[in-house]
Amino acid sequence: MSNIKEKDAKNSFGTKVLHGNLLYTLISIIVGFLVGAILLQIAGISAGEAYAKLITGVFGKPKFIVWSIVYATPIILTGLSVAFSFRTGVFNIGAEGQYVVGSLAACVVGIFVKAPAIIHVPLCLIVAAAAGGLWSMVVALLKVKRGINEVLSFIMFNWIAFYLSNYVVNIPAVHTDGSGEATKDILDSAKMMVTNESLTKVMGSGASYNILVAVLAAAVIAFILNRTTLGYKLKAVGFNRHAAEYGGISANKEIMTAMSISGALAGMGGACQLMGMGIRVSQFAGQEGFGFQGITVALIGSTNPIGCIFAGLFYGAMKYGGTKLSLVNAPAEIVNIIMGTIIFFIAISHVFKRIILGYAGRKSTKSEGGTK
């Protein structure tokens, strides 16, 4: 009897693994690294040496790990933004613009508001979230009231945010007094960087508390989606808008709510980047890409809020570790190729799933036939 129970437990675990997304995400990551290795070898660069430098560039010293986390924090939040919108049936390709207006709003408050750190830091985060949420809500209104496709609106709003930021950066009251196309530095009370000398000796000068904001945000979003009536309504609209409306849920209201929360998360990502690393907003020569990297993080994390934490840390480590590849004459762009390949194979992961499930089904049928 115990053997039967153990067998059933194994089968149940195996079924969950085969039908879940984790296995196919891991396969996609492995394939991504294999493709990167092939391209490096074609270019005459040792893949083993390049990948070894990538790993030591992330885990070689405590400060490298800290920098990887600092790189990861804003894209965890933009990843959460995109993942949350995906779960509720909206494609938020506007996280880039929401990130920009969030960082800009936090910068203005960080420069001009004088308050103790315990008030100043949360205030900057709240203002950034409000700015990102309002920026996204305008697009939501256009979608709900006028039926305008949100993808087109978000793309245009990304560019509006881009040029708005460049305009504000060059306002005399905001612009730096020294040379450089950037704003003044935010006040020390608005920074989220670690200042304790004993900690900075171990963790490096780039250590920041902003990862705590990202983890807390992921936990809150996971709770909202899985444990609240609001989360149920949002997911119901995402699964089937017409069925949700038939069940008495106002789809338009929930879409606006979802897009506002999504924008707020991306806005907080901009604030965390500013307060934990950038300290000022520079004039853009091109879009920074944090919002678009958030799409990658959301897909690798299977649009799961907790998954976005690990996906963001992986992407952050790849971004930071990739800066060390020049030491072995390997192009840093190989990281982008690897990440692009991973996303491509995640996009076609249903093919892997069909092949593996088909093989598992045939094996199970043979096994049952042999038993009989």
Side-chain angles (χ1 to χ4, degrees):
M1 190 71 174
S2 62
N3 289 335
I4 294 173
K5 286 183 178 180
E6 287 178 8
K7 187 177 180 180
D8 289 342
K10 288 180 180 178
N11 289 337
S12 177
F13 175 76
T15 301
K16 286 181 180 179
V17 169
L18 292 177
H19 283 84
N21 293 322
L22 179 60
L23 173 63
Y24 307 102
T25 299
L26 292 175
I27 291 173
S28 299
I29 291 172
I30 292 169
V31 171
F33 278 100
L34 286 174
V35 170
I38 292 169
L39 292 175
L40 285 168
Q41 291 297 147
I42 292 173
I45 300 167
S46 169
E49 189 178 350
Y51 285 167
K53 179 57 67 176
L54 184 66
I55 293 170
T56 56
V58 175
F59 300 104
K61 295 180 181 179
K63 68 177 182 179
F64 292 168
I65 298 173
V66 170
W67 272 110
S68 297
I69 294 171
V70 170
Y71 271 59
T73 300
I75 55 177
I76 290 174
L77 285 162
T78 55
L80 274 174
S81 171
V82 176
F84 184 80
S85 67
F86 278 174
R87 283 293 185 96
T88 53
V90 178
F91 183 34
N92 182 11
I93 200 172
E96 180 73 14
Q98 297 146 21
Y99 165 93
V100 169
V101 296
S103 62
L104 190 62
C107 184
V108 171
V109 173
I111 292 171
F112 294 108
V113 175
K114 292 179 173 59
I118 196 170
I119 296 173
H120 208 180
V121 169
L123 180 62
C124 288
L125 290 170
I126 291 169
V127 170
L134 288 171
W135 197 255
S136 185
M137 187 182 288
V138 176
V139 175
L141 283 168
L142 292 173
K143 176 181 175 65
V144 169
K145 299 298 183 181
R146 298 298 178 188
I148 299 173
N149 186 282
E150 72 274 16
V151 174
L152 298 176
S153 298
F154 274 137
I155 291 172
M156 289 189 290
F157 269 64
N158 285 343
W159 285 107
I160 294 171
F162 175 89
Y163 289 111
L164 174 64
S165 178
N166 283 352
Y167 171 76
V168 174
V169 163
N170 288 290
I171 293 175
V174 178
H175 195 273
T176 180
D177 297 327
S179 60
E181 299 298 326
T183 66
K184 298 174 182 176
D185 290 353
I186 59 174
L187 300 176
D188 290 341
S189 58
K191 296 175 184 177
M192 289 197 293
M193 302 177 75
V194 174
T195 55
N196 184 285
E197 289 186 11
S198 58
L199 288 176
T200 53
K201 283 181 181 178
V202 177
M203 302 169 69
S205 59
S208 170
Y209 299 112
N210 56 11
I211 185 62
L212 300 177
V213 177
V215 172
L216 179 61
V220 170
I221 293 301
F223 179 80
I224 289 173
L225 286 173
N226 301 317
R227 294 286 186 269
T228 66
T229 304
L230 173 62
Y232 172 81
K233 289 180 179 179
L234 293 173
K235 288 191 292 184
V237 173
F239 285 131
N240 191 318
R241 174 175 178 167
H242 300 295
E245 288 178 336
Y246 184 78
I249 298 172
S250 173
N252 287 343
K253 178 183 175 183
E254 303 310 327
I255 286 172
M256 289 186 64
T257 301
M259 291 174 74
S260 298
I261 294 174
S262 179
L265 289 166
M268 287 175 62
C272 283
Q273 170 68 6
L274 170 79
M275 299 159 67
M277 185 178 176
I279 310 305
R280 58 170 66 181
V281 174
S282 299
Q283 181 168 313
F284 296 126
Q287 293 191 7
E288 292 194 303
F290 283 98
F292 301 115
Q293 291 163 9
I295 298 174
T296 301
V297 168
L299 291 173
I300 294 175
S302 300
T303 68
N304 182 294
I306 305 303
C308 284
I309 297 175
F310 296 102
L313 290 172
F314 169 67
Y315 199 166
M318 291 289 287
K319 281 183 67 178
Y320 181 71
T323 62
K324 307 297 178 67
L325 290 177
S326 60
L327 298 175
V328 292
N329 296 318
E333 287 78 11
I334 196 67
V335 170
N336 295 330
I337 294 173
I338 292 171
M339 299 307 295
T341 305
I342 291 170
I343 293 306
F344 173 75
F345 280 95
I346 286 176
I348 61 170
S349 61
H350 62 281
V351 176
F352 294 139
K353 186 177 288 189
R354 188 178 301 171
I355 293 170
I356 292 174
L357 288 176
Y359 174 77
R362 288 193 298 271
K363 188 175 179 181
S364 177
T365 302
K366 287 180 182 179
S367 177
E368 288 176 3
T371 304
K372 288 179 181 179

